[in-house]
Amino acid sequence: MNIAVACLLTAFAAGCADGEGRGPQRIEGWSVSDDDELILWVDTCDGDPETTLEESDAEVVITVVSTKRSSDDDCQEPVTVVLSQPLGDREVADGKTGDKAPSMEG
């Protein structure tokens, strides 16, 4: 890779660190909508979120990639995820942090 391209990539990555930038976003909360459907809440403010799932018998790891446009609670939006089987006793983990995602259920 030539130096000019490397500099452009570095500048782009640095510019995305603050303010708007597309990448993994933290899951602010989740709830069960149906046995095999989860509703996630993320701070993306219409940032075209996309999800990826990794399911096992013990947990469901969900990564939400979106353009983050604001950190206000007013910009939280729901994202629906359909699981391959009901959630049951499995944990929901945030793919960005690796931590247990906070449940919004009673």
Side-chain angles (χ1 to χ4, degrees):
M1 175 181 327
N2 70 32
I3 295 174
V5 172
C7 289
L8 283 173
L9 290 175
T10 302
F12 177 74
C16 290
D18 298 324
E20 282 193 28
R22 188 145 185 95
Q25 303 300 326
R26 188 171 159 238
I27 297 171
E28 299 299 325
W30 63 272
S31 62
V32 176
S33 172
D34 200 356
D35 285 344
D36 63 348
E37 189 174 275
L38 301 179
I39 304 296
L40 311 175
W41 292 95
V42 291
D43 287 335
T44 64
C45 206
D46 298 319
D48 301 318
E50 298 175 359
T51 59
T52 57
L53 296 172
E54 295 175 36
E55 297 185 62
S56 72
D57 291 338
E59 72 177 354
V60 176
V61 179
I62 305 170
T63 304
V64 180
V65 173
S66 180
T67 302
K68 185 169 184 172
R69 295 195 169 110
S70 176
S71 60
D72 296 338
D73 287 343
D74 293 337
C75 280
Q76 285 186 356
E77 67 181 304
V79 177
T80 302
V81 176
V82 178
L83 306 175
S84 65
Q85 62 185 355
L87 180 62
D89 294 333
R90 297 185 290 171
E91 297 283 332
V92 176
D94 186 333
K96 177 180 178 170
T97 65
D99 296 332
K100 182 179 171 182
S103 171
M104 297 179 80
E105 300 198 337

